[in-house]
Amino acid sequence: MTLSLHQASVTVYSRLLNQLSATLDKTAAHAEGNKIDPSALLEARLFPDMWPFSRQVQAATNHAFRGVARLAGLPIPEITDAAASFDDLKQRVAETLAFVESADPAAVDAGADREITFPLGSRQATLSGTDYFLHFSLPNFYFHLTTAYNILRTNGVPLVKDDFVGRTE
């Protein structure tokens, strides 16, 4: 069986972004039910020099939509930057999902061998599409998504592993 770049990227991003959307609902309900100021969770961090939860969600979505855009040879879309509420973050996830799921599978797959140049800190990096996806986009997506999950767990949101990965039937 051959695994296409579209299957490896879009289907993974889509599944986990849908889980993130459900996690945002669960977090908002937890905050409301326990009379927790939502900003306390939105601004929560694992360590003072790390980004807060809201920025982790933004970064995870960045890697999903930018990754797919670059692989498919599309312009980077304008996705809302609002992050002051759970609804803002849900909107960002929804916009990211809509873009990622609209990508033409053949265009994404064609990006495997294309050279992709992207900002990496203060410099530009160039990798093949496959290396960009496997060694930059996907690991960063998982890093920020996992960090967001861990921030919520550390702050008492009752999440379980299935909230992150979804149920496998």
Side-chain angles (χ1 to χ4, degrees):
M1 179 183 117
T2 302
L3 180 68
S4 74
L5 194 54
H6 179 271
Q7 290 170 309
S9 62
V10 171
T11 59
V12 170
Y13 291 144
S14 180
R15 177 183 177 113
L16 295 178
L17 289 168
N18 276 301
Q19 290 305 123
L20 176 57
S21 183
T23 294
L24 289 166
D25 288 337
K26 193 170 186 175
T27 302
H30 174 76
E32 185 177 330
N34 290 284
K35 300 191 183 346
I36 298 169
D37 180 357
S39 66
L41 293 173
L42 291 164
E43 294 304 315
R45 301 166 189 260
L46 289 179
F47 198 75
D49 68 350
M50 293 180 75
W51 287 342
F53 172 77
S54 60
R55 184 69 182 104
Q56 298 293 343
V57 171
Q58 287 176 312
T61 54
N62 283 347
H63 285 286
F65 71 78
R66 290 177 185 167
V68 170
R70 289 180 177 129
L71 289 171
L74 299 170
I76 304 294
E78 294 290 327
I79 302 288
T80 184
D81 270 340
S85 69
F86 295 119
D87 286 339
D88 288 346
L89 294 175
K90 278 198 53 114
Q91 178 64 34
R92 183 176 177 86
V93 170
E95 290 176 25
T96 301
L97 269 166
F99 176 78
V100 165
E101 291 175 347
S102 74
D104 176 46
V108 173
D109 290 342
D113 296 321
R114 180 184 312 113
E115 281 196 346
I116 295 177
T117 300
F118 58 99
L120 188 61
S122 62
R123 64 182 180 89
Q124 295 285 310
T126 301
L127 297 171
S128 72
T130 298
D131 285 343
Y132 167 77
F133 172 69
L134 291 175
H135 303 296
F136 182 75
S137 183
L138 187 63
N140 276 286
F141 174 76
Y142 271 110
F143 174 84
H144 293 292
L145 196 61
T146 301
T147 303
Y149 175 91
N150 288 335
I151 289 169
L152 296 177
R153 285 295 297 128
T154 298
N155 283 278
V157 179
L159 300 174
V160 296
K161 185 177 179 181
D162 283 350
D163 291 311
F164 186 91
V165 297
R167 271 214 130 109
T168 303
E169 303 297 331

Coordinates of all heavy atoms in Angstrom, one line a residue, residues 27 36-48 50-57 86 147-148 150-157:
T27 N -13.6 22.5 27.0 CA -12.9 23.4 27.8 C -13.8 24.6 28.2 O -13.8 25.0 29.4 CB -11.6 23.9 27.1 OG1 -10.8 22.8 26.9 CG2 -10.8 24.9 28.0
I36 N -14.8 29.4 36.1 CA -13.4 29.7 35.8 C -13.4 30.8 34.8 O -14.1 30.7 33.7 CB -12.6 28.5 35.3 CG1 -12.5 27.4 36.4 CG2 -11.2 28.9 34.9 CD1 -12.0 26.1 35.9
D37 N -12.7 31.9 35.0 CA -12.6 33.0 34.0 C -11.9 32.4 32.8 O -10.8 31.8 32.9 CB -11.7 34.1 34.6 CG -11.5 35.3 33.6 OD1 -12.0 35.2 32.4 OD2 -10.9 36.2 34.0
P38 N -12.5 32.4 31.6 CA -11.9 31.8 30.4 C -10.5 32.3 30.1 O -9.7 31.6 29.6 CB -12.9 32.1 29.3 CG -14.2 32.3 30.0 CD -13.9 32.9 31.3
S39 N -10.3 33.6 30.4 CA -9.0 34.1 30.2 C -7.9 33.4 31.0 O -6.7 33.4 30.5 CB -8.9 35.6 30.4 OG -9.1 35.9 31.8
A40 N -8.2 32.9 32.1 CA -7.2 32.1 32.9 C -6.7 30.9 32.1 O -5.5 30.6 32.2 CB -7.8 31.7 34.2
L41 N -7.6 30.2 31.4 CA -7.2 29.1 30.6 C -6.6 29.5 29.3 O -5.6 28.9 28.8 CB -8.4 28.2 30.3 CG -9.0 27.5 31.6 CD1 -10.3 26.7 31.2 CD2 -7.9 26.5 32.2
L42 N -7.2 30.6 28.6 CA -6.6 31.0 27.4 C -5.2 31.5 27.5 O -4.4 31.4 26.6 CB -7.5 32.2 26.8 CG -8.9 31.7 26.3 CD1 -9.8 32.9 26.2 CD2 -8.8 30.9 25.0
E43 N -4.9 32.1 28.7 CA -3.5 32.6 28.9 C -2.6 31.7 29.7 O -1.5 32.1 30.0 CB -3.6 34.0 29.6 CG -4.3 35.1 28.7 CD -3.6 35.2 27.3 OE1 -2.3 35.3 27.3 OE2 -4.2 35.3 26.3
A44 N -3.1 30.5 30.0 CA -2.3 29.6 30.8 C -1.1 29.1 30.0 O -1.2 28.9 28.8 CB -3.2 28.4 31.3
R45 N 0.0 28.9 30.8 CA 1.2 28.4 30.1 C 1.8 27.2 31.0 O 1.5 27.1 32.2 CB 2.3 29.5 30.2 CG 1.9 30.8 29.5 CD 2.9 31.9 29.9 NE 2.4 33.2 29.3 CZ 2.9 33.7 28.2 NH1 3.8 33.2 27.5 NH2 2.4 34.9 27.8
L46 N 2.6 26.4 30.3 CA 3.3 25.4 31.1 C 4.5 25.9 31.8 O 4.9 25.4 32.9 CB 3.8 24.3 30.2 CG 2.7 23.4 29.6 CD1 3.3 22.3 28.7 CD2 1.9 22.7 30.7
F47 N 5.1 27.0 31.3 CA 6.3 27.6 31.9 C 6.3 29.1 31.4 O 5.8 29.3 30.3 CB 7.5 26.9 31.5 CG 8.7 27.2 32.4 CD1 8.8 26.6 33.6 CD2 9.7 28.0 32.0 CE1 9.9 26.9 34.5 CE2 10.8 28.3 32.8 CZ 10.9 27.7 34.0
P48 N 6.8 30.0 32.3 CA 6.7 31.4 31.9 C 7.2 31.8 30.6 O 6.7 32.7 29.9 CB 7.5 32.1 33.0 CG 7.3 31.2 34.2 CD 7.3 29.8 33.6
M50 N 7.1 30.0 27.8 CA 6.4 29.3 26.8 C 5.2 30.1 26.4 O 4.6 30.9 27.2 CB 6.0 27.9 27.2 CG 7.2 27.0 27.4 SD 6.7 25.3 27.9 CE 6.1 24.7 26.3
W51 N 4.7 29.9 25.2 CA 3.5 30.6 24.7 C 2.3 30.1 25.5 O 2.2 28.9 25.9 CB 3.2 30.3 23.2 CG 4.1 31.0 22.3 CD1 4.9 32.1 22.5 CD2 4.4 30.6 20.9 NE1 5.6 32.4 21.4 CE2 5.3 31.6 20.4 CE3 3.9 29.6 20.1 CZ2 5.7 31.5 19.1 CZ3 4.3 29.6 18.8 CH2 5.2 30.5 18.3
P52 N 1.2 30.9 25.6 CA 0.0 30.5 26.3 C -0.8 29.6 25.4 O -0.6 29.4 24.2 CB -0.7 31.8 26.6 CG -0.2 32.7 25.5 CD 1.2 32.3 25.2
F53 N -1.8 29.0 26.0 CA -2.7 28.1 25.3 C -3.3 28.7 24.0 O -3.2 28.0 23.0 CB -3.9 27.7 26.3 CG -5.0 27.0 25.5 CD1 -4.8 25.6 25.3 CD2 -6.2 27.6 25.1 CE1 -5.8 24.9 24.6 CE2 -7.1 26.9 24.4 CZ -7.0 25.5 24.2
S54 N -3.7 29.9 24.1 CA -4.3 30.5 22.9 C -3.3 30.6 21.7 O -3.6 30.3 20.6 CB -4.9 31.9 23.1 OG -3.9 32.8 23.6
R55 N -2.1 30.9 22.0 CA -1.0 31.0 21.0 C -0.6 29.6 20.5 O -0.2 29.4 19.4 CB 0.2 31.7 21.6 CG 1.3 32.0 20.6 CD 0.9 33.0 19.5 NE 1.9 33.1 18.5 CZ 1.9 32.6 17.3 NH1 0.9 31.9 16.9 NH2 2.9 32.8 16.5
Q56 N -0.7 28.6 21.4 CA -0.4 27.2 21.0 C -1.4 26.8 19.9 O -1.1 26.1 19.0 CB -0.4 26.3 22.2 CG 0.7 26.6 23.2 CD 2.1 26.3 22.8 OE1 2.4 25.7 21.8 NE2 3.0 26.9 23.5
V57 N -2.7 27.1 20.2 CA -3.7 26.8 19.2 C -3.5 27.5 17.9 O -3.6 26.9 16.8 CB -5.1 27.1 19.7 CG1 -6.2 26.9 18.7 CG2 -5.5 26.2 20.9
F86 N -12.8 31.3 23.5 CA -12.8 30.0 22.9 C -13.5 30.0 21.6 O -13.2 29.3 20.7 CB -13.5 29.0 23.9 CG -12.7 28.8 25.2 CD1 -13.3 29.1 26.4 CD2 -11.5 28.3 25.1 CE1 -12.6 29.0 27.5 CE2 -10.7 28.1 26.3 CZ -11.3 28.4 27.5
T147 N 1.2 20.6 23.3 CA 1.4 21.6 24.4 C 0.1 22.2 24.8 O -0.2 22.4 26.0 CB 2.4 22.6 23.9 OG1 3.6 22.0 23.6 CG2 2.7 23.6 25.0
A148 N -0.8 22.5 23.8 CA -2.1 23.0 24.2 C -2.9 22.1 25.0 O -3.5 22.4 26.1 CB -2.9 23.3 22.9
N150 N -1.7 19.7 27.0 CA -1.0 19.6 28.3 C -1.3 20.8 29.2 O -1.5 20.7 30.4 CB 0.5 19.4 28.1 CG 0.8 18.0 27.6 OD1 0.0 17.1 27.8 ND2 1.9 17.8 27.0
I151 N -1.4 22.0 28.6 CA -1.8 23.2 29.3 C -3.2 23.0 29.9 O -3.4 23.3 31.1 CB -1.7 24.4 28.5 CG1 -0.3 24.8 28.1 CG2 -2.4 25.6 29.1 CD1 -0.1 25.9 27.0
L152 N -4.1 22.5 29.2 CA -5.5 22.3 29.7 C -5.5 21.3 30.8 O -6.1 21.5 31.8 CB -6.4 21.9 28.5 CG -6.6 23.0 27.5 CD1 -7.5 22.5 26.4 CD2 -7.2 24.3 28.1
R153 N -4.8 20.1 30.6 CA -4.8 19.1 31.6 C -4.1 19.6 32.9 O -4.6 19.3 34.0 CB -4.0 17.9 31.1 CG -4.8 17.0 30.1 CD -6.0 16.4 30.7 NE -5.6 15.4 31.7 CZ -6.2 15.4 32.9 NH1 -7.1 16.3 33.3 NH2 -5.8 14.5 33.8
T154 N -3.1 20.3 32.7 CA -2.4 20.9 33.9 C -3.3 21.8 34.7 O -3.1 22.0 35.9 CB -1.1 21.6 33.5 OG1 -0.2 20.7 32.9 CG2 -0.4 22.3 34.6
N155 N -4.2 22.4 34.0 CA -5.2 23.4 34.6 C -6.5 22.7 35.0 O -7.5 23.5 35.2 CB -5.3 24.6 33.7 CG -4.1 25.5 33.9 OD1 -4.0 26.3 34.8 ND2 -3.2 25.4 33.0
G156 N -6.6 21.4 35.0 CA -7.7 20.7 35.5 C -8.8 20.4 34.5 O -9.9 19.9 34.9
V157 N -8.7 20.7 33.3 CA -9.7 20.4 32.3 C -9.7 18.9 32.2 O -8.7 18.3 31.9 CB -9.5 21.1 30.9 CG1 -10.6 20.7 30.0 CG2 -9.4 22.6 31.1

